[in-house]
Amino acid sequence: TVPATDGPGSQSWARAEKYWEDRHERKTKDAVKNKVEAVFWLAAAAFVLNSTDLFHVMYRDERVNRPVLNVGLIATTVLLVCVAYLIVRVGIIARVDWDKLYNARDASRASKDPYYRPVCNAIGVGASAFVTCVVSYPVALWPVWSWWTIPILFVLSMAMLMSMHFIPM
């Protein structure tokens, strides 16, 4: 049982309340900061897309390395399907916390979950598709923008990652 000196109104109780209030305040500030940063990256991506006319260049410019671009587009499709599966099918419909399932410390208990193998497979296939995208897009677009290709794709990649802040979970 709790000693009478550690109940409501004691110094240790006040310290604990202050700790949790400060923690809540920090988490709220971090959440707001993260949303503002995400909006910044999305605005930067909109500016980059507008100023480079990326989609027009990708589909119409003759300098683009077409076979490599097609590999990147296929890899992007695979990556989006894996992300949609993890977010919609596993996360929202089945209500499985796939992040905790994938990172579970107790592998014997996690492996008994019916979503364990599909989640591991989706993450592995998505990671392979991501690496393929990271290699293929710069190679395909390098003849158009040369060294500017890397910063352009970095801004677009960051915007894609930061857009996840706006997915309700």
Short mmCIF file of all heavy atoms in Angstrom, two decimals, residues 50-84:
data_model
loop_
_atom_site.label_atom_id
_atom_site.label_comp_id
_atom_site.label_asym_id
_atom_site.label_seq_id
_atom_site.Cartn_x
_atom_site.Cartn_y
_atom_site.Cartn_z
N ASN A 50 6.13 22.68 -58.94
CA ASN A 50 5.71 23.75 -59.81
C ASN A 50 6.87 24.32 -60.63
O ASN A 50 6.74 24.56 -61.82
CB ASN A 50 5.04 24.86 -58.98
CG ASN A 50 4.43 25.93 -59.86
OD1 ASN A 50 3.92 25.64 -60.93
ND2 ASN A 50 4.48 27.17 -59.40
N SER A 51 8.01 24.52 -59.99
CA SER A 51 9.13 25.16 -60.68
C SER A 51 9.88 24.22 -61.62
O SER A 51 10.46 24.67 -62.60
CB SER A 51 10.09 25.79 -59.67
OG SER A 51 10.63 24.79 -58.84
N THR A 52 9.89 22.92 -61.34
CA THR A 52 10.60 21.99 -62.22
C THR A 52 9.71 21.36 -63.27
O THR A 52 10.21 20.78 -64.22
CB THR A 52 11.23 20.84 -61.40
OG1 THR A 52 10.20 20.12 -60.74
CG2 THR A 52 12.26 21.36 -60.44
N ASP A 53 8.40 21.47 -63.09
CA ASP A 53 7.44 20.83 -63.99
C ASP A 53 7.79 19.35 -64.13
O ASP A 53 7.89 18.80 -65.22
CB ASP A 53 7.44 21.54 -65.35
CG ASP A 53 6.16 21.31 -66.11
OD1 ASP A 53 5.17 20.85 -65.48
OD2 ASP A 53 6.13 21.57 -67.32
N LEU A 54 7.98 18.72 -62.97
CA LEU A 54 8.52 17.36 -62.90
C LEU A 54 7.74 16.34 -63.71
O LEU A 54 8.33 15.58 -64.48
CB LEU A 54 8.58 16.91 -61.43
CG LEU A 54 9.11 15.50 -61.20
CD1 LEU A 54 10.60 15.47 -61.44
CD2 LEU A 54 8.79 15.02 -59.82
N PHE A 55 6.43 16.32 -63.59
CA PHE A 55 5.65 15.30 -64.29
C PHE A 55 5.73 15.46 -65.80
O PHE A 55 5.82 14.48 -66.54
CB PHE A 55 4.20 15.29 -63.80
CG PHE A 55 4.08 14.90 -62.36
CD1 PHE A 55 3.62 15.80 -61.42
CD2 PHE A 55 4.46 13.64 -61.94
CE1 PHE A 55 3.53 15.45 -60.08
CE2 PHE A 55 4.37 13.28 -60.61
CZ PHE A 55 3.90 14.18 -59.68
N HIS A 56 5.70 16.70 -66.26
CA HIS A 56 5.84 16.95 -67.69
C HIS A 56 7.21 16.47 -68.18
O HIS A 56 7.31 15.83 -69.23
CB HIS A 56 5.65 18.44 -68.00
CG HIS A 56 5.81 18.76 -69.44
ND1 HIS A 56 4.85 18.44 -70.38
CD2 HIS A 56 6.83 19.33 -70.12
CE1 HIS A 56 5.27 18.83 -71.57
NE2 HIS A 56 6.46 19.38 -71.44
N VAL A 57 8.25 16.77 -67.41
CA VAL A 57 9.61 16.35 -67.78
C VAL A 57 9.71 14.83 -67.77
O VAL A 57 10.28 14.22 -68.69
CB VAL A 57 10.65 16.98 -66.83
CG1 VAL A 57 12.02 16.36 -67.01
CG2 VAL A 57 10.71 18.48 -67.06
N MET A 58 9.15 14.19 -66.75
CA MET A 58 9.26 12.73 -66.65
C MET A 58 8.61 12.02 -67.84
O MET A 58 9.13 11.01 -68.31
CB MET A 58 8.60 12.23 -65.36
CG MET A 58 9.42 12.47 -64.12
SD MET A 58 8.55 12.05 -62.61
CE MET A 58 8.33 10.30 -62.77
N TYR A 59 7.51 12.54 -68.32
CA TYR A 59 6.77 11.83 -69.36
C TYR A 59 7.00 12.36 -70.77
O TYR A 59 6.66 11.67 -71.73
CB TYR A 59 5.27 11.86 -69.03
CG TYR A 59 4.97 11.13 -67.76
CD1 TYR A 59 4.52 11.80 -66.63
CD2 TYR A 59 5.20 9.77 -67.66
CE1 TYR A 59 4.27 11.13 -65.46
CE2 TYR A 59 4.95 9.08 -66.48
CZ TYR A 59 4.49 9.77 -65.39
OH TYR A 59 4.26 9.09 -64.21
N ARG A 60 7.59 13.54 -70.92
CA ARG A 60 7.73 14.12 -72.26
C ARG A 60 9.19 14.37 -72.69
O ARG A 60 9.45 14.40 -73.87
CB ARG A 60 6.98 15.44 -72.34
CG ARG A 60 5.53 15.35 -71.99
CD ARG A 60 4.71 15.10 -73.21
NE ARG A 60 3.30 15.20 -72.84
CZ ARG A 60 2.42 14.28 -73.12
NH1 ARG A 60 2.77 13.20 -73.77
NH2 ARG A 60 1.16 14.42 -72.77
N ASP A 61 10.08 14.57 -71.75
CA ASP A 61 11.47 14.94 -72.11
C ASP A 61 12.22 13.74 -72.65
O ASP A 61 12.19 12.66 -72.07
CB ASP A 61 12.18 15.51 -70.88
CG ASP A 61 13.39 16.33 -71.26
OD1 ASP A 61 14.16 15.89 -72.12
OD2 ASP A 61 13.56 17.42 -70.68
N GLU A 62 12.94 13.95 -73.75
CA GLU A 62 13.69 12.84 -74.37
C GLU A 62 14.99 12.52 -73.64
O GLU A 62 15.58 11.46 -73.86
CB GLU A 62 14.01 13.19 -75.84
CG GLU A 62 12.80 13.20 -76.73
CD GLU A 62 12.65 14.51 -77.47
OE1 GLU A 62 13.63 15.27 -77.53
OE2 GLU A 62 11.54 14.75 -77.97
N ARG A 63 15.45 13.42 -72.79
CA ARG A 63 16.70 13.17 -72.08
C ARG A 63 16.54 12.17 -70.94
O ARG A 63 17.53 11.62 -70.44
CB ARG A 63 17.26 14.49 -71.52
CG ARG A 63 17.63 15.48 -72.60
CD ARG A 63 18.01 16.81 -72.01
NE ARG A 63 16.79 17.44 -71.46
CZ ARG A 63 16.78 18.60 -70.84
NH1 ARG A 63 17.91 19.24 -70.62
NH2 ARG A 63 15.65 19.11 -70.39
N VAL A 64 15.33 11.93 -70.52
CA VAL A 64 15.08 11.01 -69.40
C VAL A 64 15.40 9.58 -69.84
O VAL A 64 15.05 9.15 -70.95
CB VAL A 64 13.61 11.12 -68.95
CG1 VAL A 64 13.29 10.07 -67.91
CG2 VAL A 64 13.33 12.51 -68.41
N ASN A 65 16.07 8.84 -68.97
CA ASN A 65 16.40 7.44 -69.21
C ASN A 65 15.12 6.62 -68.95
O ASN A 65 14.81 6.28 -67.82
CB ASN A 65 17.54 7.01 -68.29
CG ASN A 65 18.07 5.65 -68.61
OD1 ASN A 65 17.43 4.87 -69.29
ND2 ASN A 65 19.26 5.38 -68.11
N ARG A 66 14.38 6.31 -70.01
CA ARG A 66 13.06 5.68 -69.89
C ARG A 66 13.04 4.33 -69.20
O ARG A 66 12.20 4.11 -68.32
CB ARG A 66 12.42 5.52 -71.27
CG ARG A 66 12.04 6.79 -71.90
CD ARG A 66 10.65 7.23 -71.45
NE ARG A 66 10.56 8.61 -71.85
CZ ARG A 66 10.19 9.60 -71.07
NH1 ARG A 66 9.83 9.36 -69.86
NH2 ARG A 66 10.17 10.83 -71.49
N PRO A 67 13.91 3.37 -69.57
CA PRO A 67 13.82 2.06 -68.89
C PRO A 67 14.03 2.15 -67.38
O PRO A 67 13.32 1.52 -66.60
CB PRO A 67 14.93 1.23 -69.55
CG PRO A 67 15.19 1.89 -70.86
CD PRO A 67 14.90 3.33 -70.66
N VAL A 68 14.97 2.99 -66.96
CA VAL A 68 15.23 3.14 -65.53
C VAL A 68 14.07 3.87 -64.85
O VAL A 68 13.69 3.53 -63.74
CB VAL A 68 16.58 3.88 -65.31
CG1 VAL A 68 16.85 4.07 -63.83
CG2 VAL A 68 17.72 3.11 -65.96
N LEU A 69 13.50 4.85 -65.54
CA LEU A 69 12.33 5.55 -65.00
C LEU A 69 11.16 4.59 -64.82
O LEU A 69 10.46 4.64 -63.80
CB LEU A 69 11.92 6.70 -65.91
CG LEU A 69 10.69 7.48 -65.45
CD1 LEU A 69 10.96 8.21 -64.15
CD2 LEU A 69 10.23 8.43 -66.53
N ASN A 70 10.96 3.71 -65.78
CA ASN A 70 9.87 2.74 -65.67
C ASN A 70 10.07 1.80 -64.48
O ASN A 70 9.11 1.45 -63.78
CB ASN A 70 9.73 1.94 -66.96
CG ASN A 70 9.21 2.81 -68.09
OD1 ASN A 70 8.61 3.86 -67.87
ND2 ASN A 70 9.45 2.38 -69.32
N VAL A 71 11.32 1.39 -64.24
CA VAL A 71 11.61 0.57 -63.06
C VAL A 71 11.26 1.35 -61.79
O VAL A 71 10.66 0.81 -60.86
CB VAL A 71 13.09 0.11 -63.05
CG1 VAL A 71 13.48 -0.48 -61.72
CG2 VAL A 71 13.35 -0.86 -64.18
N GLY A 72 11.62 2.63 -61.75
CA GLY A 72 11.29 3.46 -60.59
C GLY A 72 9.80 3.62 -60.40
O GLY A 72 9.30 3.60 -59.27
N LEU A 73 9.05 3.78 -61.49
CA LEU A 73 7.59 3.92 -61.38
C LEU A 73 6.95 2.63 -60.88
O LEU A 73 6.02 2.67 -60.06
CB LEU A 73 7.00 4.33 -62.73
CG LEU A 73 7.36 5.74 -63.20
CD1 LEU A 73 6.87 5.97 -64.62
CD2 LEU A 73 6.80 6.79 -62.26
N ILE A 74 7.44 1.49 -61.35
CA ILE A 74 6.92 0.21 -60.86
C ILE A 74 7.25 0.04 -59.37
O ILE A 74 6.39 -0.38 -58.58
CB ILE A 74 7.48 -0.96 -61.69
CG1 ILE A 74 6.90 -0.92 -63.11
CG2 ILE A 74 7.20 -2.30 -61.03
CD1 ILE A 74 7.57 -1.84 -64.09
N ALA A 75 8.47 0.40 -58.98
CA ALA A 75 8.86 0.30 -57.57
C ALA A 75 8.02 1.24 -56.71
O ALA A 75 7.64 0.89 -55.58
CB ALA A 75 10.34 0.60 -57.41
N THR A 76 7.71 2.43 -57.22
CA THR A 76 6.86 3.36 -56.48
C THR A 76 5.46 2.77 -56.28
O THR A 76 4.88 2.88 -55.20
CB THR A 76 6.75 4.70 -57.21
OG1 THR A 76 8.06 5.26 -57.34
CG2 THR A 76 5.86 5.67 -56.47
N THR A 77 4.93 2.14 -57.31
CA THR A 77 3.62 1.50 -57.20
C THR A 77 3.63 0.40 -56.15
O THR A 77 2.72 0.31 -55.31
CB THR A 77 3.18 0.93 -58.57
OG1 THR A 77 3.21 1.99 -59.53
CG2 THR A 77 1.81 0.32 -58.49
N VAL A 78 4.68 -0.43 -56.17
CA VAL A 78 4.80 -1.50 -55.18
C VAL A 78 4.89 -0.92 -53.77
O VAL A 78 4.25 -1.39 -52.83
CB VAL A 78 6.02 -2.40 -55.49
CG1 VAL A 78 6.32 -3.35 -54.35
CG2 VAL A 78 5.80 -3.16 -56.79
N LEU A 79 5.69 0.14 -53.61
CA LEU A 79 5.84 0.78 -52.30
C LEU A 79 4.52 1.35 -51.80
O LEU A 79 4.15 1.17 -50.63
CB LEU A 79 6.90 1.88 -52.39
CG LEU A 79 7.19 2.66 -51.13
CD1 LEU A 79 7.70 1.75 -50.03
CD2 LEU A 79 8.20 3.76 -51.42
N LEU A 80 3.77 2.00 -52.67
CA LEU A 80 2.48 2.56 -52.27
C LEU A 80 1.48 1.47 -51.90
O LEU A 80 0.68 1.65 -50.97
CB LEU A 80 1.93 3.46 -53.37
CG LEU A 80 2.69 4.77 -53.59
CD1 LEU A 80 2.12 5.53 -54.78
CD2 LEU A 80 2.67 5.62 -52.35
N VAL A 81 1.51 0.35 -52.61
CA VAL A 81 0.62 -0.76 -52.27
C VAL A 81 0.98 -1.32 -50.89
O VAL A 81 0.09 -1.60 -50.07
CB VAL A 81 0.68 -1.86 -53.35
CG1 VAL A 81 0.05 -3.15 -52.88
CG2 VAL A 81 0.01 -1.37 -54.62
N CYS A 82 2.28 -1.46 -50.59
CA CYS A 82 2.70 -1.96 -49.28
C CYS A 82 2.28 -1.00 -48.16
O CYS A 82 1.78 -1.43 -47.12
CB CYS A 82 4.21 -2.18 -49.25
SG CYS A 82 4.78 -3.55 -50.25
N VAL A 83 2.48 0.29 -48.38
CA VAL A 83 2.10 1.28 -47.37
C VAL A 83 0.59 1.29 -47.18
O VAL A 83 0.10 1.34 -46.04
CB VAL A 83 2.63 2.69 -47.76
CG1 VAL A 83 2.02 3.77 -46.89
CG2 VAL A 83 4.14 2.73 -47.66
N ALA A 84 -0.17 1.22 -48.28
CA ALA A 84 -1.62 1.19 -48.17
C ALA A 84 -2.08 -0.06 -47.42
O ALA A 84 -3.00 0.01 -46.60
CB ALA A 84 -2.26 1.25 -49.55
#
